[in-house]
Amino acid sequence: MASEADEVDPEEFEDLPSTDIETELHVHFGMAGSFPLRLADLFFASDGLHIVEYSYITPMFGLGTKKHRREAGAMQDVYDVHGLDEVLLQADSVYWLHYDAIDRVVLHRGGLLGRPKITVYPSDETARSHAFRLHENDDADALAADLRDVAADRPFDVVVESGTGFDPRENVERFFG
């Protein structure tokens, strides 16, 4: 049980410098890759899309010990208390895409054999796409509506498809690309 001394007062951080980036949609707890797995959050923000990778997980010592859940929860706490600026500082890597550089965002609903998946395809076909299985969001319809709201006045499309979105050829190309 946390004591009062362990609790963080958000008002203590009000005077810290800020980029004033406003988050419009936060897609929490995505996972990408095969080995090691990478945890990531996507922040559709006022200045573009921030893809934040913040932890590497191995199947035996990460998934088996629920490290992925602890790490995702810890990053959510950082975001809740300190906001996007601190998340960007804490990340292992950050990819930023201006909305003009995104062709489409594809959401696969998942199904019995897989979790929902979100893939961001850049306008430049030679650039890397970013794909993540979603481990926190089970309501694909609500996420699709939120994505469409973000894309409403922006130059990228939102595509919603059934199934898991697993394409072995595309996965190999992404891995070696």
Side-chain angles (χ1 to χ4, degrees):
M1 184 160 166
S3 68
E4 284 185 36
D6 293 336
E7 293 182 26
V8 177
D9 181 9
E11 291 180 16
E12 292 179 28
F13 301 96
E14 285 184 1
D15 294 331
L16 293 177
S18 171
T19 59
D20 291 327
I21 299 170
E22 293 184 35
T23 302
E24 297 175 21
L25 174 62
H26 174 201
V27 180
H28 176 61
F29 196 6
M31 195 179 299
S34 55
F35 187 82
L37 300 167
R38 294 178 318 279
L39 296 183
D41 283 12
L42 287 77
F43 296 90
F44 291 86
S46 56
D47 69 333
L49 172 62
H50 299 263
I51 300 171
V52 177
E53 294 181 351
Y54 54 87
S55 188
Y56 293 91
I57 305 293
T58 59
M60 183 184 298
F61 297 109
L63 296 176
T65 63
K66 306 268 189 244
K67 180 181 178 188
H68 60 301
R69 298 221 176 268
R70 288 191 308 275
E71 292 287 330
M75 188 57 81
Q76 181 66 48
D77 290 344
V78 168
Y79 177 66
D80 290 343
V81 172
H82 303 290
L84 181 58
D85 290 336
E86 186 64 23
V87 169
L88 296 174
L89 288 172
Q90 295 288 328
D92 292 326
S93 59
V94 176
Y95 299 94
W96 177 79
L97 296 170
H98 190 276
Y99 290 124
D100 291 336
I102 300 173
D103 177 58
R104 68 192 180 284
V105 176
V106 178
L107 175 64
H108 288 91
R109 295 179 181 278
L112 295 175
L113 300 176
R115 306 216 34 90
K117 176 185 172 187
I118 190 168
T119 306
V120 178
Y121 291 94
S123 298
D124 177 359
E125 292 181 12
T126 63
R128 174 182 176 225
S129 62
H130 300 271
F132 304 95
R133 290 276 169 212
L134 303 178
H135 290 267
E136 189 87 342
N137 192 327
D138 292 324
D139 190 348
D141 292 329
L143 179 56
D146 291 342
L147 287 167
R148 286 185 180 115
D149 286 345
V150 168
D153 296 326
R154 303 227 164 82
F156 66 91
D157 294 322
V158 173
V159 178
V160 180
E161 297 182 356
S162 297
T164 61
F166 181 72
D167 180 352
R169 185 173 136 186
E170 181 181 339
N171 286 7
V172 169
E173 289 173 357
R174 185 182 307 109
F175 182 76
F176 290 110

